[in-house]
């Protein structure tokens, strides 16, 4: 039950990312592609892939922390 609630919170937080960041998170974390493969698939530089993922994680961390502070879910 707790895992399902956390999954829901993560999905909500991902929706607040830019479309490009959502795509990177999906391809890297949910579909398991490497940075290099994502760069080739999306026809963008490797550094751009890494930057988008890094910024997305920073935003997700902030969003999830804010949800936790508001009591949106318990640890």
């Amino acid at each position: 039950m707790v895992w399902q609630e956390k999954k829901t919170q993560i999905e909500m937080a991902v929706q607040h990312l830019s479309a490009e960041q959502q795509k990177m998170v999906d391809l890297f974390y949910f579909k398991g592609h490497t940075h290099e493969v994502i760069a080739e698939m999306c026809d963008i530089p490797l550094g751009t892939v890494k930057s988008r993922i890094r910024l997305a994680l920073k935003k997700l961390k902030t969003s999830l922390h804010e949800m936790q502070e508001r009591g949106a879910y318990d640890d």
Side-chain angles (χ1 to χ4, degrees):
M1 178 86 120
V2 172
W3 286 107
Q4 183 61 36
E5 189 173 328
K6 287 188 179 190
K7 179 182 179 235
T8 301
Q9 295 298 322
I10 291 169
E11 289 170 346
M12 288 174 53
V14 167
Q15 291 176 4
H16 289 96
L17 299 173
S18 71
E20 294 87 6
Q21 290 172 341
Q22 286 182 31
K23 185 174 184 177
M24 297 300 112
V25 168
D26 180 57
L27 291 171
F28 186 69
Y29 290 103
F30 299 122
K31 295 191 175 142
H33 296 296
T34 64
H35 291 132
E36 293 81 5
V37 169
I38 295 169
E40 288 179 26
M41 290 172 59
C42 298
D43 195 30
I44 57 177
L46 179 60
T48 301
V49 171
K50 291 180 178 184
S51 293
R52 288 180 183 168
I53 290 171
R54 187 173 39 254
L55 290 172
L57 290 178
K58 185 177 179 180
K59 287 182 182 180
L60 286 173
K61 182 179 178 181
T62 299
S63 293
L64 291 170
H65 181 72
E66 289 172 357
M67 287 180 198
Q68 185 177 22
E69 283 194 350
R70 288 191 313 257
Y73 66 92
D74 297 320
D75 282 331

Coordinates of all heavy atoms in Angstrom, one line a residue:
M1 N 0.8 -1.2 0.0 CA 0.0 0.0 0.0 C 0.9 1.3 0.0 O 0.6 2.2 -0.8 CB -0.9 0.0 1.2 CG -1.8 1.2 1.3 SD -3.3 1.0 0.4 CE -4.5 1.2 1.6
V2 N 1.9 1.3 0.8 CA 2.8 2.4 0.9 C 3.5 2.6 -0.4 O 3.7 3.8 -0.9 CB 3.8 2.3 2.1 CG1 4.8 3.4 2.1 CG2 3.1 2.3 3.4
W3 N 4.0 1.5 -1.0 CA 4.7 1.6 -2.3 C 3.8 2.2 -3.4 O 4.2 3.0 -4.2 CB 5.2 0.2 -2.7 CG 6.4 -0.1 -1.9 CD1 6.5 -1.1 -0.9 CD2 7.7 0.4 -1.9 NE1 7.8 -1.1 -0.4 CE2 8.5 -0.2 -1.0 CE3 8.3 1.4 -2.7 CZ2 9.9 0.1 -0.8 CZ3 9.6 1.7 -2.5 CH2 10.4 1.1 -1.6
Q4 N 2.5 1.8 -3.4 CA 1.6 2.3 -4.4 C 1.4 3.8 -4.2 O 1.3 4.5 -5.2 CB 0.2 1.5 -4.3 CG -0.8 2.0 -5.3 CD -0.3 1.7 -6.7 OE1 0.4 0.7 -7.0 NE2 -0.6 2.6 -7.7
E5 N 1.3 4.2 -3.0 CA 1.1 5.6 -2.7 C 2.4 6.4 -3.1 O 2.2 7.5 -3.8 CB 0.9 5.9 -1.2 CG 0.5 7.3 -0.9 CD 0.1 7.4 0.6 OE1 -0.5 6.5 1.2 OE2 0.3 8.5 1.1
K6 N 3.5 5.9 -2.9 CA 4.8 6.6 -3.3 C 4.9 6.6 -4.8 O 5.3 7.6 -5.4 CB 6.0 5.9 -2.7 CG 6.1 6.2 -1.2 CD 7.4 5.8 -0.6 CE 7.4 6.2 0.9 NZ 8.7 5.9 1.4
K7 N 4.5 5.5 -5.5 CA 4.5 5.4 -6.9 C 3.6 6.5 -7.5 O 3.9 7.2 -8.4 CB 4.0 4.1 -7.4 CG 4.0 3.9 -8.9 CD 3.5 2.6 -9.3 CE 3.4 2.5 -10.8 NZ 2.2 2.1 -11.3
T8 N 2.4 6.7 -6.9 CA 1.5 7.7 -7.3 C 2.1 9.1 -7.2 O 2.0 10.0 -8.1 CB 0.2 7.6 -6.6 OG1 -0.4 6.3 -6.8 CG2 -0.8 8.7 -7.0
Q9 N 2.8 9.3 -6.1 CA 3.4 10.6 -5.8 C 4.5 10.9 -6.9 O 4.6 12.0 -7.4 CB 4.0 10.7 -4.4 CG 2.9 10.7 -3.3 CD 2.0 11.8 -3.4 OE1 2.4 13.0 -3.7 NE2 0.7 11.6 -3.1
I10 N 5.3 9.9 -7.2 CA 6.3 10.0 -8.2 C 5.7 10.3 -9.5 O 6.2 11.2 -10.2 CB 7.2 8.8 -8.2 CG1 8.0 8.7 -6.9 CG2 8.2 8.8 -9.5 CD1 8.7 7.4 -6.7
E11 N 4.7 9.6 -9.9 CA 4.0 9.9 -11.2 C 3.5 11.3 -11.2 O 3.6 12.0 -12.3 CB 2.9 8.9 -11.4 CG 3.4 7.5 -11.7 CD 2.3 6.4 -11.7 OE1 1.2 6.7 -11.2 OE2 2.6 5.3 -12.1
M12 N 2.9 11.8 -10.1 CA 2.4 13.2 -10.1 C 3.6 14.2 -10.3 O 3.5 15.2 -11.0 CB 1.7 13.4 -8.8 CG 0.3 12.8 -8.7 SD -0.4 12.9 -7.1 CE -0.4 14.7 -6.8
A13 N 4.7 13.9 -9.6 CA 5.8 14.8 -9.7 C 6.4 14.8 -11.1 O 6.8 15.9 -11.6 CB 6.9 14.4 -8.7
V14 N 6.5 13.7 -11.7 CA 7.0 13.6 -13.1 C 6.1 14.4 -14.1 O 6.7 15.0 -15.0 CB 7.1 12.1 -13.6 CG1 7.3 12.0 -15.1 CG2 8.2 11.4 -12.8
Q15 N 4.9 14.5 -13.8 CA 4.0 15.3 -14.7 C 4.3 16.8 -14.6 O 3.9 17.5 -15.6 CB 2.5 15.0 -14.3 CG 2.0 13.6 -14.6 CD 0.6 13.4 -14.2 OE1 -0.1 14.3 -13.6 NE2 0.1 12.2 -14.3
H16 N 5.0 17.2 -13.6 CA 5.3 18.6 -13.5 C 6.6 19.0 -14.2 O 7.0 20.1 -14.2 CB 5.4 19.0 -12.0 CG 4.0 19.1 -11.4 ND1 3.5 18.0 -10.7 CD2 3.0 20.0 -11.4 CE1 2.3 18.3 -10.3 NE2 2.0 19.5 -10.7
L17 N 7.3 18.0 -14.7 CA 8.5 18.2 -15.5 C 8.2 18.7 -16.9 O 7.1 18.5 -17.4 CB 9.4 16.9 -15.6 CG 9.8 16.3 -14.3 CD1 10.5 14.9 -14.5 CD2 10.8 17.2 -13.5
S18 N 9.2 19.3 -17.5 CA 9.0 19.6 -18.9 C 8.9 18.4 -19.8 O 9.3 17.3 -19.3 CB 10.2 20.4 -19.4 OG 11.3 19.6 -19.6
A19 N 8.3 18.5 -20.9 CA 8.1 17.3 -21.8 C 9.4 16.6 -22.1 O 9.5 15.4 -22.1 CB 7.4 17.8 -23.1
E20 N 10.5 17.4 -22.3 CA 11.8 16.8 -22.6 C 12.3 16.1 -21.4 O 12.9 15.0 -21.6 CB 12.8 17.9 -23.0 CG 12.5 18.6 -24.3 CD 11.6 19.8 -24.1 OE1 11.2 20.2 -23.0 OE2 11.1 20.4 -25.1
Q21 N 12.2 16.6 -20.2 CA 12.6 15.9 -19.0 C 11.8 14.7 -18.8 O 12.3 13.6 -18.4 CB 12.6 16.9 -17.8 CG 13.6 18.0 -17.9 CD 13.5 19.0 -16.8 OE1 12.4 19.1 -16.2 NE2 14.5 19.8 -16.6
Q22 N 10.5 14.7 -19.0 CA 9.7 13.6 -18.8 C 10.1 12.4 -19.7 O 10.2 11.3 -19.3 CB 8.2 13.9 -19.1 CG 7.5 14.7 -18.1 CD 6.0 14.9 -18.4 OE1 5.4 14.1 -19.1 NE2 5.5 16.1 -18.0
K23 N 10.4 12.8 -21.0 CA 10.9 11.8 -21.9 C 12.2 11.2 -21.5 O 12.3 9.9 -21.5 CB 11.0 12.4 -23.3 CG 11.4 11.4 -24.4 CD 11.4 12.1 -25.7 CE 11.7 11.1 -26.9 NZ 11.6 11.8 -28.2
M24 N 13.1 12.0 -21.0 CA 14.4 11.4 -20.5 C 14.2 10.5 -19.3 O 14.8 9.4 -19.3 CB 15.4 12.6 -20.2 CG 15.8 13.5 -21.3 SD 16.6 12.7 -22.7 CE 15.3 12.9 -23.9
V25 N 13.4 10.9 -18.4 CA 13.2 10.1 -17.2 C 12.5 8.8 -17.6 O 12.9 7.7 -17.1 CB 12.3 10.9 -16.2 CG1 11.8 9.9 -15.1 CG2 13.1 12.0 -15.6
D26 N 11.6 8.8 -18.5 CA 10.9 7.6 -19.0 C 11.9 6.7 -19.6 O 11.9 5.5 -19.3 CB 9.7 8.0 -19.9 CG 9.0 6.8 -20.4 OD1 8.5 6.0 -19.6 OD2 8.9 6.6 -21.6
L27 N 12.6 7.2 -20.6 CA 13.6 6.4 -21.3 C 14.7 5.8 -20.4 O 15.1 4.6 -20.6 CB 14.2 7.2 -22.5 CG 13.2 7.5 -23.6 CD1 13.9 8.5 -24.6 CD2 12.7 6.3 -24.3
F28 N 15.2 6.6 -19.5 CA 16.3 6.2 -18.7 C 15.8 5.3 -17.5 O 16.3 4.2 -17.3 CB 17.1 7.4 -18.2 CG 18.3 7.0 -17.4 CD1 19.4 6.5 -18.1 CD2 18.5 7.3 -16.1 CE1 20.6 6.1 -17.4 CE2 19.6 6.9 -15.4 CZ 20.7 6.4 -16.1
Y29 N 14.9 5.8 -16.7 CA 14.5 5.1 -15.5 C 13.4 4.0 -15.7 O 13.5 3.0 -15.0 CB 14.1 6.1 -14.4 CG 15.2 6.8 -13.9 CD1 15.5 8.1 -14.3 CD2 16.2 6.3 -13.0 CE1 16.5 8.9 -13.8 CE2 17.3 7.0 -12.6 CZ 17.4 8.3 -13.0 OH 18.5 9.0 -12.5
F30 N 12.5 4.3 -16.5 CA 11.4 3.3 -16.7 C 11.6 2.3 -17.8 O 11.1 1.2 -17.7 CB 10.1 4.1 -16.8 CG 9.7 4.9 -15.7 CD1 9.5 6.3 -15.8 CD2 9.6 4.4 -14.4 CE1 9.2 7.1 -14.7 CE2 9.4 5.2 -13.3 CZ 9.2 6.6 -13.5
K31 N 12.4 2.7 -18.8 CA 12.6 1.8 -19.9 C 14.0 1.2 -19.9 O 14.3 0.3 -20.7 CB 12.3 2.5 -21.3 CG 10.8 2.8 -21.3 CD 10.3 3.2 -22.7 CE 8.8 3.3 -22.6 NZ 8.3 4.5 -23.4
G32 N 14.9 1.8 -19.1 CA 16.2 1.2 -18.9 C 17.2 1.5 -20.0 O 18.3 0.8 -20.0
H33 N 17.0 2.5 -20.8 CA 18.0 2.8 -21.9 C 19.2 3.5 -21.3 O 19.1 4.3 -20.3 CB 17.4 3.7 -23.0 CG 16.3 3.0 -23.7 ND1 16.5 1.9 -24.5 CD2 15.0 3.2 -23.8 CE1 15.4 1.5 -25.0 NE2 14.4 2.3 -24.6
T34 N 20.4 3.4 -21.9 CA 21.6 4.1 -21.4 C 21.5 5.6 -22.0 O 20.7 5.9 -22.9 CB 22.9 3.5 -22.0 OG1 22.9 3.6 -23.4 CG2 23.0 2.0 -21.5
H35 N 22.3 6.4 -21.4 CA 22.4 7.8 -21.8 C 22.8 7.8 -23.3 O 22.2 8.6 -24.1 CB 23.5 8.6 -21.1 CG 23.1 8.8 -19.6 ND1 24.0 8.6 -18.6 CD2 22.0 9.3 -19.1 CE1 23.5 8.9 -17.5 NE2 22.3 9.3 -17.7
E36 N 23.7 7.0 -23.7 CA 24.1 7.0 -25.1 C 23.0 6.6 -26.1 O 22.9 7.2 -27.1 CB 25.3 6.0 -25.3 CG 26.6 6.5 -24.6 CD 26.6 6.2 -23.0 OE1 25.7 5.5 -22.5 OE2 27.6 6.7 -22.4
V37 N 22.3 5.5 -25.7 CA 21.2 5.1 -26.5 C 20.1 6.2 -26.6 O 19.6 6.4 -27.7 CB 20.6 3.8 -26.0 CG1 19.3 3.4 -26.7 CG2 21.6 2.6 -26.1
I38 N 19.8 6.8 -25.5 CA 18.8 7.9 -25.6 C 19.3 9.0 -26.5 O 18.5 9.5 -27.3 CB 18.5 8.4 -24.1 CG1 17.9 7.3 -23.3 CG2 17.6 9.7 -24.2 CD1 17.9 7.7 -21.8
A39 N 20.5 9.4 -26.4 CA 21.1 10.4 -27.3 C 20.9 10.1 -28.7 O 20.5 10.9 -29.5 CB 22.5 10.7 -27.0
E40 N 21.2 8.8 -29.1 CA 21.0 8.4 -30.5 C 19.5 8.3 -30.9 O 19.1 8.8 -31.9 CB 21.6 7.0 -30.6 CG 23.1 6.9 -30.6 CD 23.6 5.5 -30.8 OE1 22.9 4.7 -31.4 OE2 24.8 5.3 -30.3
M41 N 18.7 7.8 -30.0 CA 17.2 7.7 -30.3 C 16.6 9.1 -30.5 O 15.8 9.3 -31.4 CB 16.5 7.1 -29.1 CG 16.7 5.6 -28.9 SD 16.0 4.9 -27.4 CE 14.3 5.3 -27.6
C42 N 17.0 10.1 -29.7 CA 16.4 11.4 -29.7 C 17.2 12.4 -30.6 O 16.8 13.5 -30.8 CB 16.3 12.0 -28.3 SG 15.3 11.0 -27.2
D43 N 18.3 11.9 -31.1 CA 19.2 12.7 -32.0 C 19.6 14.0 -31.3 O 19.4 15.1 -31.9 CB 18.5 13.0 -33.3 CG 19.5 13.5 -34.4 OD1 20.7 13.1 -34.3 OD2 19.0 14.3 -35.3
I44 N 20.0 13.9 -30.1 CA 20.5 15.0 -29.3 C 21.9 14.7 -28.7 O 22.2 13.5 -28.6 CB 19.5 15.5 -28.2 CG1 19.2 14.3 -27.2 CG2 18.3 16.0 -28.8 CD1 18.3 14.7 -26.1
P45 N 22.7 15.7 -28.4 CA 24.0 15.4 -27.8 C 23.9 14.6 -26.4 O 22.9 14.8 -25.7 CB 24.6 16.8 -27.6 CG 23.9 17.7 -28.5 CD 22.5 17.1 -28.6
L46 N 24.9 13.8 -26.2 CA 24.9 13.1 -24.9 C 24.9 14.0 -23.7 O 24.2 13.7 -22.7 CB 26.2 12.2 -24.9 CG 26.5 11.4 -23.6 CD1 25.3 10.4 -23.4 CD2 27.8 10.7 -23.7
G47 N 25.6 15.1 -23.8 CA 25.5 16.1 -22.6 C 24.2 16.6 -22.4 O 23.8 16.9 -21.2
T48 N 23.4 16.8 -23.4 CA 22.0 17.3 -23.3 C 21.2 16.2 -22.5 O 20.4 16.6 -21.6 CB 21.4 17.6 -24.6 OG1 22.2 18.6 -25.3 CG2 20.0 18.1 -24.5
V49 N 21.3 15.0 -22.9 CA 20.6 13.9 -22.2 C 20.9 13.9 -20.7 O 20.0 13.9 -19.8 CB 20.9 12.5 -22.8 CG1 20.4 11.4 -22.0 CG2 20.5 12.4 -24.2
K50 N 22.2 14.0 -20.4 CA 22.7 14.0 -19.0 C 22.1 15.2 -18.2 O 21.7 15.1 -17.1 CB 24.2 13.9 -18.9 CG 24.7 12.5 -19.4 CD 26.2 12.5 -19.3 CE 26.8 11.1 -19.8 NZ 28.2 11.0 -19.6
S51 N 22.2 16.3 -18.9 CA 21.7 17.6 -18.2 C 20.2 17.5 -18.0 O 19.8 17.9 -16.9 CB 22.0 18.8 -19.1 OG 23.4 19.0 -19.2
R52 N 19.5 17.0 -18.9 CA 18.0 16.9 -18.7 C 17.6 16.0 -17.6 O 16.8 16.2 -16.8 CB 17.3 16.5 -20.0 CG 17.3 17.7 -21.0 CD 16.6 17.3 -22.3 NE 16.7 18.4 -23.3 CZ 16.4 18.3 -24.5 NH1 16.0 17.1 -25.0 NH2 16.5 19.3 -25.3
I53 N 18.4 14.9 -17.6 CA 18.1 13.9 -16.5 C 18.5 14.5 -15.1 O 17.7 14.4 -14.2 CB 18.8 12.6 -16.8 CG1 18.2 11.8 -18.0 CG2 18.8 11.6 -15.5 CD1 18.9 10.6 -18.5
R54 N 19.6 15.1 -15.1 CA 20.1 15.7 -13.8 C 19.1 16.8 -13.3 O 18.8 16.8 -12.2 CB 21.5 16.3 -14.0 CG 22.1 16.8 -12.7 CD 23.6 17.2 -12.9 NE 23.9 17.9 -14.2 CZ 24.6 17.4 -15.2 NH1 25.0 16.1 -15.1 NH2 24.8 18.1 -16.3
L55 N 18.7 17.7 -14.2 CA 17.7 18.7 -13.8 C 16.4 18.1 -13.4 O 15.7 18.6 -12.5 CB 17.6 19.7 -15.0 CG 18.8 20.6 -15.2 CD1 18.6 21.4 -16.5 CD2 19.0 21.5 -14.0
A56 N 16.0 17.1 -14.2 CA 14.7 16.4 -13.8 C 14.8 15.8 -12.4 O 13.8 15.9 -11.6 CB 14.4 15.3 -14.9
L57 N 15.9 15.2 -12.1 CA 16.0 14.6 -10.8 C 16.0 15.6 -9.7 O 15.4 15.4 -8.6 CB 17.3 13.7 -10.7 CG 17.3 12.4 -11.5 CD1 18.6 11.7 -11.3 CD2 16.2 11.5 -11.0
K58 N 16.6 16.7 -10.0 CA 16.6 17.8 -9.0 C 15.2 18.3 -8.7 O 14.8 18.5 -7.6 CB 17.5 19.0 -9.5 CG 17.7 20.1 -8.5 CD 18.7 21.2 -9.1 CE 18.8 22.3 -8.1 NZ 19.7 23.3 -8.5
K59 N 14.4 18.5 -9.8 CA 13.1 19.0 -9.7 C 12.2 17.9 -9.0 O 11.3 18.3 -8.2 CB 12.5 19.3 -11.1 CG 13.0 20.6 -11.7 CD 12.3 20.8 -13.0 CE 12.9 22.1 -13.7 NZ 12.3 22.3 -15.0
L60 N 12.4 16.7 -9.3 CA 11.6 15.6 -8.7 C 11.9 15.6 -7.2 O 11.0 15.4 -6.4 CB 12.0 14.2 -9.3 CG 11.4 14.0 -10.7 CD1 11.9 12.7 -11.3 CD2 9.9 13.9 -10.7
K61 N 13.2 15.7 -6.8 CA 13.6 15.7 -5.4 C 12.9 16.8 -4.7 O 12.3 16.6 -3.6 CB 15.1 15.8 -5.3 CG 15.6 15.8 -3.9 CD 17.1 15.8 -3.8 CE 17.5 15.8 -2.3 NZ 19.0 16.0 -2.2
T62 N 12.9 18.0 -5.3 CA 12.2 19.1 -4.7 C 10.7 18.9 -4.5 O 10.1 19.2 -3.5 CB 12.5 20.4 -5.5 OG1 13.9 20.6 -5.5 CG2 11.8 21.6 -4.9
S63 N 10.1 18.5 -5.6 CA 8.7 18.2 -5.6 C 8.3 17.2 -4.6 O 7.3 17.4 -3.8 CB 8.2 17.7 -7.0 OG 8.3 18.8 -7.9
L64 N 9.0 16.1 -4.5 CA 8.7 15.0 -3.6 C 8.9 15.5 -2.1 O 8.1 15.2 -1.2 CB 9.5 13.8 -3.9 CG 9.1 13.1 -5.2 CD1 10.1 12.0 -5.5 CD2 7.7 12.5 -5.1
H65 N 9.9 16.3 -1.9 CA 10.2 16.8 -0.6 C 9.1 17.8 -0.1 O 8.6 17.7 1.0 CB 11.5 17.6 -0.6 CG 11.9 18.2 0.8 ND1 12.3 17.4 1.8 CD2 11.9 19.4 1.2 CE1 12.5 18.2 2.9 NE2 12.3 19.4 2.5
E66 N 8.6 18.6 -1.1 CA 7.5 19.5 -0.8 C 6.2 18.7 -0.5 O 5.5 19.0 0.5 CB 7.2 20.4 -1.9 CG 8.3 21.5 -2.1 CD 8.2 22.3 -3.3 OE1 7.3 22.1 -4.1 OE2 9.0 23.3 -3.5
M67 N 6.0 17.6 -1.2 CA 4.8 16.8 -0.9 C 4.9 16.2 0.4 O 3.9 16.1 1.2 CB 4.7 15.7 -2.0 CG 4.2 16.1 -3.3 SD 4.2 14.7 -4.5 CE 4.2 15.6 -6.0
Q68 N 6.1 15.7 0.8 CA 6.3 15.1 2.1 C 6.0 16.1 3.2 O 5.4 15.8 4.2 CB 7.7 14.5 2.2 CG 7.9 13.7 3.5 CD 9.3 13.1 3.5 OE1 10.2 13.5 2.8 NE2 9.4 12.1 4.3
E69 N 6.6 17.3 3.0 CA 6.4 18.3 4.1 C 4.9 18.7 4.2 O 4.5 19.0 5.3 CB 7.2 19.6 3.7 CG 8.7 19.4 4.0 CD 9.5 20.6 4.0 OE1 8.9 21.7 3.6 OE2 10.6 20.6 4.5
R70 N 4.1 18.6 3.1 CA 2.7 18.9 3.2 C 1.9 17.8 3.8 O 0.7 17.9 4.0 CB 2.2 19.3 1.8 CG 2.6 20.7 1.3 CD 1.8 21.1 0.1 NE 1.7 20.0 -0.9 CZ 2.4 20.0 -2.0 NH1 3.3 20.9 -2.3 NH2 2.2 19.0 -2.9
G71 N 2.6 16.6 4.0 CA 1.9 15.5 4.5 C 1.2 14.7 3.5 O 0.3 13.9 3.8
A72 N 1.7 14.8 2.2 CA 1.0 14.1 1.1 C 1.3 12.6 1.3 O 0.5 11.8 0.8 CB 1.5 14.6 -0.2
Y73 N 2.4 12.2 1.9 CA 2.6 10.8 2.1 C 3.5 10.6 3.3 O 4.2 11.6 3.7 CB 3.1 10.0 0.9 CG 4.5 10.4 0.5 CD1 5.6 9.7 1.0 CD2 4.7 11.4 -0.5 CE1 6.9 10.1 0.5 CE2 6.0 11.8 -0.9 CZ 7.0 11.1 -0.4 OH 8.3 11.4 -0.8
D74 N 3.5 9.5 3.9 CA 4.4 9.2 5.1 C 5.5 8.3 4.6 O 5.4 7.5 3.7 CB 3.6 8.5 6.2 CG 2.5 9.3 6.7 OD1 2.7 10.6 6.9 OD2 1.4 8.8 7.0
D75 N 6.7 8.4 5.3 CA 7.8 7.5 5.1 C 7.5 6.2 5.7 O 7.5 5.3 6.1 CB 9.1 8.0 5.6 CG 9.6 9.1 4.7 OD1 9.4 9.1 3.5 OD2 10.3 10.0 5.2

